[in-house]
Amino acid sequence: FLSVVLQQSCRSVSNFIDQNQHHPSTWIGSFVAKSCFFIVLSAMAPKGKKSTMTEVVTREYTVHLHKRIHGVGFKRRAPKAISEIRKFAEKHMGTKDVRVDTRLNKHIWSFGIRNVPFRVRVRLSRKRNEDEDSANKLYTLVTFVPVDSFKGLQTINVDE
């Protein structure tokens, strides 16, 4: 009931402020009033949705390595590419524990330490940790997906 009353009062105040926008003195007041009411409304919004970061999921991504290792010295390019893939997986899957498959590692290093592939297609799998005494409940396994061309590829969810 209280949220309905607040919403109606917010609308009336917002409409009044919008009608009086031609006065420069009301511009600051309108910004403050609108932002305050939006904060109140967002605080009272229902919070029934739970986080999806605890679910086991598998997705395929294309990682643009060329932009991530731009400006890195020759003798640090392949190690930096691996660390950037780890950082990418940590960001997109939300787990601190990231494990890189040996096939992906061999593909990154296949042209040497200096000549890293521009792009790489990877499969990120968020899995449950079998080790009970581990600090993390979930880990991410990063595997290599061979593709002929990167044209038109998008992120897809993979059903295992």
Side-chain angles (χ1 to χ4, degrees):
F1 174 73
L2 183 61
S3 64
V4 173
V5 171
L6 276 174
Q7 285 175 351
Q8 289 174 347
S9 62
C10 284
R11 283 192 199 109
S12 61
V13 169
S14 178
N15 290 339
F16 173 75
I17 290 169
D18 288 338
Q19 291 169 357
N20 296 318
Q21 280 297 325
H22 57 279
H23 297 294
S25 61
T26 60
W27 292 347
I28 297 172
S30 68
F31 174 73
V32 171
K34 283 185 179 181
S35 60
C36 290
F37 283 114
F38 286 128
I39 290 170
V40 169
L41 287 178
S42 63
M44 296 190 69
K47 295 180 173 70
K49 189 157 181 152
K50 68 175 200 169
S51 174
T52 59
M53 286 298 182
T54 59
E55 295 177 4
V56 175
V57 69
T58 302
R59 294 190 192 106
E60 279 187 10
Y61 293 92
T62 301
V63 183
H64 189 185
L65 291 175
H66 192 243
K67 71 177 182 183
R68 287 180 166 82
I69 61 169
H70 175 73
V72 177
F74 277 160
K75 293 300 180 183
R76 291 188 290 269
R77 286 175 83 86
K80 179 71 170 176
I82 296 295
S83 66
E84 286 294 323
I85 289 172
R86 284 183 187 276
K87 196 161 71 169
F88 179 88
E90 186 177 325
K91 176 185 173 192
H92 286 273
M93 286 296 176
T95 62
K96 289 284 184 195
D97 188 5
V98 177
R99 302 172 190 180
V100 177
D101 189 39
T102 55
R103 285 181 57 219
L104 175 61
N105 193 42
K106 284 183 193 283
H107 177 72
I108 297 297
W109 284 82
S110 63
F111 302 115
I113 196 168
R114 301 191 316 179
N115 302 317
V116 176
F118 279 12
R119 286 178 175 81
V120 66
R121 188 78 173 170
V122 294
R123 179 173 289 151
L124 303 182
S125 302
R126 191 187 308 135
K127 297 185 174 187
R128 298 213 183 279
N129 211 341
E130 301 296 326
D131 192 15
E132 285 95 22
D133 53 327
S134 174
N136 303 317
K137 295 179 191 169
L138 300 169
Y139 70 94
T140 301
L141 178 64
V142 187
T143 55
F144 173 63
V145 179
V147 291
D148 294 333
S149 173
F150 293 102
K151 302 286 185 186
L153 291 177
Q154 294 183 339
T155 300
I156 58 169
N157 286 327
V158 178
D159 298 326
E160 289 189 41

